[in-house]
């Protein structure tokens, strides 16, 4: 369904001529899909995808992440309500809560007589967030290579206490995001979303003194129009409002909540 060739995908993403084709275009075709067919995905496929996630890089082989698959409709409903009432949490064939996880390493350390007190440093929280993000993205790439589609659910951070309650999370675990996985419906219309021009993210030798975003604002305005979204609000305006300290949707409690769970105390 989503089968753009390398050149087409590149042009949709960056509105520029591509370099010579160095890799499979599926890495450029990524998009968030929220409407899924009822086509079954067997557990053996999920086992393989989790294996791909486990094969991602992990700092010092500590593997500071875990994942919970949630298939129970009632639990899905409660999670959806806690995560901004997003319909795809209810309807995706498979839904996962990815966790930053210190609990397992603490158990391992204590089993051999170590106190694991260092886990409350920000360094180990940072390591766990990197680990879980790398694992999830490796799983996503594997899923997309099979024709599956995905949607990350960052709203799992809107009410971390409720998510922890619903998933029976022990201290030392935190759900930074969820993940929907499924085959898209036949008439899915999700498109490739433009990204910043490379000269706005790829710097050579030093960080530049200034970054020009006007070109990207223009491209995103055209994209908003194509998606029947408000085109009088630029990407810079949308993004600026997202960080104006009034749109945290409950996530302003994360610092104190994470500390209460044993994360980032030092």
């Amino acid at each position: 369904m989503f089968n753009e060739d390398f050149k087409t995908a590149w042009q949709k993403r960056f509105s520029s001529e591509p370099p010579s084709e160095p890799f499979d275009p599926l890495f450029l075709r990524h998009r968030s899909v929220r409407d899924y067919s009822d086509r079954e995905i067997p557990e053996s496929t999920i086992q393989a995808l989790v294996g791909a996630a486990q094969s991602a890089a992990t700092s010092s082989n500590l593997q500071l992440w875990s994942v919970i698959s949630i298939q129970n409709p009632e639990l899905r409903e409660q999670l959806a309500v806690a995560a901004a009432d997003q319909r795809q949490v209810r309807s995706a064939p498979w839904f996962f809560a990815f966790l930053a996880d210190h609990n397992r390493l603490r158990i391992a350390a204590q089993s051999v007589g170590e106190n694991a007190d260092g886990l409350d440093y920000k360094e180990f929280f940072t390591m766990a967030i990197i680990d879980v993000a790398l694992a999830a993205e490796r799983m996503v790439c594997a899923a997309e290579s099979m024709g599956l589609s995905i949607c990350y659910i960052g709203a799992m951070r809107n009410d971390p206490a409720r998510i922890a309650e619903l998933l029976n999370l022990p201290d030392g675990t935190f759900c930074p995001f969820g993940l929907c996985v499924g085959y898209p419906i036949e008439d899915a219309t999700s498109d490739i979303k433009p990204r910043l021009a490379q000269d706005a993210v790829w710097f050579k030798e030093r960080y530049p003194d200034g970054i020009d975003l006007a070109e990207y604002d223009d491209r995103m305005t055209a994209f908003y129009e194509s998606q029947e979204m408000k085109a009088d609000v630029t990407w810079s305006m949308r993004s600026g409002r997202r960080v104006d300290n009034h749109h945290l949707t409950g996530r302003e409690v994360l610092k104190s909540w994470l500390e209460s769970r044993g994360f980032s105390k030092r």
Side-chain angles (χ1 to χ4, degrees), residues 163-179:
I163 297 298
E165 176 188 13
L166 290 171
L167 298 179
N168 192 38
L169 301 185
D171 284 351
T173 56
F174 162 58
C175 180
F177 53 83
L179 184 70

Side-chain angles (χ1 to χ4, degrees), residues 173-193:
T173 56
F174 162 58
C175 180
F177 53 83
L179 184 70
C180 301
V181 176
Y183 289 101
I185 59 173
E186 283 297 322
D187 57 349
T189 57
S190 180
D191 204 357
I192 293 175
K193 185 178 292 185

Side-chain angles (χ1 to χ4, degrees), residues 77-89:
E77 172 64 27
Q78 293 173 301
L79 290 169
V81 170
D85 208 27
Q86 297 186 66
R87 69 181 188 281
Q88 62 270 30
V89 176

Side-chain angles (χ1 to χ4, degrees), residues 65-71 76 79 94-100 132 136 139 153 156 163 167 169 174-180:
W65 70 279
S66 295
V67 63
I68 300 174
S69 59
I70 301 102
Q71 299 302 92
R76 285 273 203 107
L79 290 169
W94 284 84
F95 181 70
F96 303 90
F98 274 83
L99 310 178
V132 69
M139 181 172 170
I153 305 295
M156 297 289 274
I163 297 298
L167 298 179
L169 301 185
F174 162 58
C175 180
F177 53 83
L179 184 70
C180 301

Side-chain angles (χ1 to χ4, degrees), residues 15-71:
S15 192
S16 64
E17 285 300 307
S20 58
E21 185 172 335
F23 52 76
D24 191 312
L26 77 89
F27 292 101
L28 294 172
R29 293 175 188 151
H30 169 75
R31 65 260 275 165
S32 295
V33 172
R34 296 173 174 83
D35 296 301
Y36 301 97
S37 76
D38 57 4
R39 180 178 171 184
E40 182 180 354
I41 304 171
E43 188 163 324
S44 60
T45 297
I46 301 304
Q47 182 182 9
L49 293 177
V50 174
Q54 289 185 270
S55 299
T58 170
S59 184
S60 301
N61 199 33
L62 296 179
Q63 303 171 73
L64 296 174
W65 70 279
S66 295
V67 63
I68 300 174
S69 59
I70 301 102
Q71 299 302 92

Side-chain angles (χ1 to χ4, degrees), residues 236-263:
S236 291
M237 294 167 66
R238 289 173 187 270
S239 301
R241 291 173 184 176
R242 185 68 180 82
V243 294
D244 67 0
N245 204 31
H246 299 292
H247 294 83
L248 284 167
T249 59
R251 303 179 200 184
E252 62 275 6
V253 306
L254 273 176
K255 182 178 185 294
S256 58
W257 186 83
L258 286 167
E259 290 176 351
S260 76
R261 304 280 289 185
F263 288 114

